[in-house]
Amino acid sequence: MRKTIQQLEQSARLLDPSLQQRKDWNQAIHQYADNFLNDIETAKGYVTSETQGSGITDLPFSETSKNLPELLKLLDKEVDSQGINAASGAHLGYIPGGGVFPTAMGDYIAAVTNKYVGMFFASPGGVRIENQLIRWMCGLVGYPENSLGNLTSGGSIANLIAIVTARDAKEITSKKVEKAVIYLTEQVHHCVQKAIRIAGLNEAVIRYIPMDEQYKMDADYLEVQVRVDKKNGLIPFLVVGSAGTTDVGAVDPLERIGTIANEHNLWFHVDAAYGGFFLLTENIKNTDGTNLKDLFAGVELSDSLAIDPHKGLFLAYGLGAVLIKDVKSQMNAHFYRANYMQDATDFNPADEPNPADLSPELTKHYRGLRMWLPLHLFGIAPFRACLEEKILLTRYFYEEVQKIGFEVGNYPELSVAIYRFIPKDGNANVFNERLVQHLQKDGRIFVSSTNLKGIYWIRIAILSFRTHLNHIDLYLEILREAILELED
Ligand SMILES: *Cc1c(COP(=O)(O)O)cnc(C)c1O
């Protein structure tokens, strides 16, 4: 047996490369990353391709090793030079993010050290990193010091954790679901509806509250509806507000919603996945002279909030957060004990809740480091400047696009604007759809579209940290050319 073990060991040790091997690999990886980043300023936002990544499928897994330079060549061709370039400042579609470089450094260390940060016992320092980041975000939205939450893979899971917590906190057991009422608007992100279904609340009464002409929830209507529902023996328990909708970047009247929620004992959840980090801005005024941040007034009245550092803090994809004011309710909804975990769960001398007790996840990525490192390395000031720049770029675009003949939607509250071209003749929806196809084929700038009340709108969402004035000017130029071409 020892002999066989030793033979296996020889092969198994290949999984632990030597220093020299690691150096060679690191060098190749660095070279790859540098090549990618050297071109990023002028890289296209979208590249249509003939292979559609099929070279990946064509390479089977095999018993023996392959060489790194060849694999990198394949990645470059089949992955990194096709589709949306989400690292590029030319990405102005959906909600971009970017991926500040120290995210990669954090991920690298996290993967090498492989710390387990679900339990304080396993990594006291790692858990402190996660909880400190969460508390910093709680401070940003004005939650009290004893609030907490969880770092998640993104906004979708953050919203899910909040909704499950709300369900349990308000004791909506399966027997009560049919009488339970949830209030939201049609502009809520679809992941909220997905979370409602996953949470077993699909048979609850779902009330879509009408919106005003700025796509904000009509709070007066909400109040009347809650009263009517209560009178009719239903159980109103949850209202979801948006702080920055995906379609137009609208912020719901959070203060009013919070007051109504408070009065009627509803759980108030805010989806700030896109908009939340604009709370960092200081020097931007709204058209009425108030501060941009005042749009979020009342956010502190909420019980829970989803916020995405991989959007508004420009980290690479893979980091969202849920913040929950009453951490006990989050614990009640997610805590579980198992005998095989007894050493870990019983050990917590500091007041540092275990992330695993607040989430459906047990083993998970050490994801705090990818946010902790950039925040410390850069400091907060450049993030603030970058967010303020994005707001002003959006306003600049909004003014300029009108000068080249486009019709626009509402004045942008945050960094999303909608616009469309009314052609001399023909159907405007068809024309703008063709325009977007034309833009995507061109690819220098990537934008996406939406549909509001049957009208096809082109969107611009400016949130990549790499988007600057030159991208916006280029895009305006591309639009000008495209209109000439398509109107012909
Ligand atoms: C992006 C987004 C989400 C979903 O977050 P993911 O990180 O993509 O899972 C939810 N709500 C809003 C408003 C968003 O912009």
Side-chain angles (χ1 to χ4, degrees), residues 148-149 161 164-165 168-169 267 324 326-337 345 348 351-359:
L148 204 64
I161 292 176
V164 166
T165 301
D168 287 7
W267 184 281
I324 299 201
D326 173 21
V327 66
K328 270 206 201 81
S329 60
Q330 189 185 3
M331 179 93 70
N332 288 340
H334 295 92
F335 180 81
Y336 230 87
R337 252 177 204 287
T345 41
N348 202 340
D351 194 14
E352 290 295 349
N354 295 318
D357 292 337
L358 301 170
S359 155

Side-chain angles (χ1 to χ4, degrees), residues 95 153-157 159 189 191 244-246 271-274 308 310-311:
I95 303 284
S153 55
S156 301
I157 303 299
N159 279 304
H189 191 277
C191 78
T245 58
T246 311
D271 181 3
Y274 153 60
D308 260 351
H310 68 198
K311 288 179 182 160

Side-chain angles (χ1 to χ4, degrees), residues 402-476:
Q402 293 177 69
K403 293 182 192 160
I404 57 173
F406 278 75
E407 177 183 300
V408 288
N410 292 322
Y411 192 79
E413 286 202 299
L414 299 175
S415 69
V416 179
I418 55 170
Y419 48 98
R420 63 181 192 143
F421 194 82
I422 310 292
K424 278 191 228 96
D425 33 46
N427 181 305
N429 278 6
V430 173
F431 183 88
N432 285 280
E433 202 173 332
R434 266 179 60 218
L435 176 54
V436 168
Q437 282 160 4
H438 178 91
L439 295 170
Q440 293 188 349
K441 207 160 146 212
D442 177 277
R444 280 175 290 169
I445 295 288
F446 176 74
V447 293
S448 58
S449 66
T450 191
N451 191 306
L452 290 160
K453 299 177 191 155
I455 292 179
Y456 185 99
W457 290 97
I458 311 176
R459 287 171 71 258
I460 190 169
I462 306 181
L463 201 64
S464 165
F465 71 104
R466 290 196 173 103
T467 302
H468 304 295
L469 206 46
N470 54 349
H471 288 107
I472 304 306
D473 284 338
L474 171 65
Y475 181 43
L476 287 161

Side-chain angles (χ1 to χ4, degrees), residues 210-427:
M211 294 168 284
D212 63 15
E213 64 289 347
Q214 289 190 294
Y215 296 97
K216 294 163 178 275
M217 185 186 285
D218 179 342
D220 292 332
Y221 194 105
L222 170 71
E223 184 160 30
V224 172
Q225 187 67 56
V226 172
R227 284 185 199 284
V228 170
D229 287 340
K230 274 178 143 175
K231 208 158 128 204
N232 291 335
L234 297 174
I235 316 167
F237 84 101
L238 170 65
V239 56
V240 181
S242 302
T245 58
T246 311
D247 266 350
V248 299
V251 183
D252 280 330
L254 305 177
E255 187 125 49
R256 285 274 288 127
I257 299 173
T259 310
I260 296 163
N262 214 333
E263 189 185 330
H264 295 280
N265 194 28
L266 305 182
W267 184 281
F268 178 26
H269 173 65
V270 174
D271 181 3
Y274 153 60
F277 282 106
F278 285 108
L279 278 163
L280 281 172
T281 60
E282 294 284 357
N283 305 303
I284 305 285
K285 293 262 186 272
N286 299 313
T287 41
D288 64 0
T290 55
N291 283 320
L292 186 82
K293 269 198 300 194
D294 296 338
L295 289 172
F296 297 84
V299 67
E300 71 284 353
L301 301 175
S302 62
D303 297 287
S304 57
L305 179 138
I307 186 167
D308 260 351
H310 68 198
K311 288 179 182 160
L313 223 48
F314 321 118
L315 305 185
Y317 293 148
L319 197 71
V322 59
L323 312 179
I324 299 201
K325 208 183 249 172
D326 173 21
V327 66
K328 270 206 201 81
S329 60
Q330 189 185 3
M331 179 93 70
N332 288 340
H334 295 92
F335 180 81
Y336 230 87
R337 252 177 204 287
N339 293 340
Y340 47 79
M341 294 295 296
Q342 63 191 10
D343 324 312
T345 41
D346 292 346
F347 179 89
N348 202 340
D351 194 14
E352 290 295 349
N354 295 318
D357 292 337
L358 301 170
S359 155
E361 291 182 281
L362 178 59
T363 309
K364 61 166 193 162
H365 186 241
Y366 171 19
R367 51 176 73 105
L369 203 51
R370 65 203 321 277
M371 176 170 171
W372 184 87
L373 211 48
L375 276 182
H376 279 310
L377 277 176
F378 292 136
I380 294 162
F383 288 99
R384 174 174 297 120
C386 197
L387 287 158
E388 292 181 351
E389 179 198 22
K390 301 305 166 266
I391 295 283
L392 296 184
L393 283 174
T394 312
R395 293 177 180 182
Y396 170 78
F397 174 80
Y398 185 82
E399 302 298 340
E400 295 298 315
V401 79
Q402 293 177 69
K403 293 182 192 160
I404 57 173
F406 278 75
E407 177 183 300
V408 288
N410 292 322
Y411 192 79
E413 286 202 299
L414 299 175
S415 69
V416 179
I418 55 170
Y419 48 98
R420 63 181 192 143
F421 194 82
I422 310 292
K424 278 191 228 96
D425 33 46
N427 181 305

